[in-house]
Amino acid sequence: METQEKILKNHDNQVKLSYRLAKFGYNSTIGKLLRLKAYYSDAVIMLKAWTYFLQTLKENIGDKFFAVDQAIMHTTHSQVKELMQVEPQIRGNDLGIIRILAPSYLLNNPLSLGMNGNEHQGVREIFLYALPDPFTEVELLSQLVDQCLEKAVIQRQLHIGEDLPKMILDILHQSILQISLTPEEIEASRTYNKTLPLASLPNLVNKYILSFRTGASVKHRRSLIAKYKQSPRFSDFLEIGNKYQLNADTIANSIFDMIHIAGTAGTSALLGSVIGVLLLNDSLKDQVVSEINNIWNQPKEPDTSALENSQILNQVILETARLYPPVRFVSQLAKDSGEIQIGATKCPFQQGTRLLGSIFTANRDINRYDNPDEFNINRDFSDILSWNGKDHERACPGRNLSIGLVKLFCFYLFKQYQWNSFTEIEWDFANVTAVTPNNLILQGFTK
């Protein structure tokens, strides 16, 4: 009850804040300080109870409400879909609900997800060129997946929350940049991702006061950026970037963000959830295993046909992405000032106001999905919002690769590897971490 009261009190203050910002100016010194206070007040709660935060405001305020830094949260499927499809999009240096207030953590480069105009178009073209097509690169990706899983045999276990992100990091660096990271570099990349929320603190705090926590990660990023520039493929990326006036630093830093944030965090979370779903449902697992046995003949690696014909597994992946979306929020900026109905009150909002879409609640919208909290692979996924939908500029360029990697991992996990037990399977819907059963361990892991 105390948490609920705090959430509702904060929102009441946000409503009042909307009028104060209209008076003092959204980006004035006073306006920025007022928004920062609101941001941290909500963030403290969301760090430990983000789904309860959303549920409380949705039930008590409505489908739209203020959250964090005076952002307007949209929660229904139709609202979030509309937000995703606005073109052109205007983005800020934000990662979902996280505002990147410490540019030093990104080596003073913009977050690739926050780029606009020519810069955004150029980086997106580089991503589309750099990301391997799982259907044409299936042999290479299969070999990389198998190599990663063989390492788990050595330790006799596969830890979902710890091992999968390292494996995805390894695979993405080899397939995108044709470089290998040392175990120490992979561990440092994992630490970088874990400490990323610290970038929401002001630059002075992040760079100096918390340097004992952030210094090593910033140094690691700088080291990898230099390594990326030595990649056999980097000259191709530069050639594309030159068409959009992008320099080598911008390109390398954008690829770092794409691999570490979107690629690793998103794909490893989805993969972990798919494994958890299948282990909890023997009947569904049997269907998937039977399908894999029918479409993949060893000892050859899976081929394009195997990826295309794994339809049951494909539906499992889509339904898992709906229920346990690895990306939970989408963010953009309002192009103009205006007025919006928040609960029973009409509130002003300013140009540059963040417009947040809650993919988590949209994917569980009862007006879009029957029995939305139930797992059902026979749904219509034509407009699924995970991967930011499709066929527009916000759509994730790595969607096919993400799904392809999850399929290949499942092919090998359930046909070439085995385990004699596994720990409890549980999704954490409280802490703001990737929605996946992080503590799941496949024990006695062998080939």
Side-chain angles (χ1 to χ4, degrees), residues 121 340 436:
Q121 293 175 20
I340 191 168
T436 196

Side-chain angles (χ1 to χ4, degrees), residues 46 61 83 94 113 115 125 165 170 189 233-234 272 383 425:
M46 293 191 78
I61 305 300
L83 269 184
D94 309 309
L113 301 174
M115 292 176 170
E125 185 172 332
D170 188 6
S189 285
R233 301 192 70 198
F234 199 74
D383 59 353
I425 303 171

Side-chain angles (χ1 to χ4, degrees), residues 393-408:
E393 72 167 52
R394 189 93 204 199
C396 173
R399 172 182 171 136
N400 288 343
L401 177 59
S402 177
I403 294 175
L405 283 174
V406 174
K407 284 188 175 183
L408 291 174

Side-chain angles (χ1 to χ4, degrees), residues 61 98 104 286 313 359:
I61 305 300
I98 298 175
S104 62
D286 290 343
L313 179 54
I359 298 176

Side-chain angles (χ1 to χ4, degrees), residues 77-101:
H77 188 279
S78 60
Q79 291 170 354
V80 177
K81 180 180 177 181
E82 184 178 355
L83 269 184
M84 286 179 175
Q85 295 182 350
V86 169
E87 293 187 11
Q89 298 247 325
I90 300 179
R91 304 166 180 84
N93 217 30
D94 309 309
L95 184 62
I97 62 170
I98 298 175
R99 289 184 61 197
I100 305 297
L101 298 175

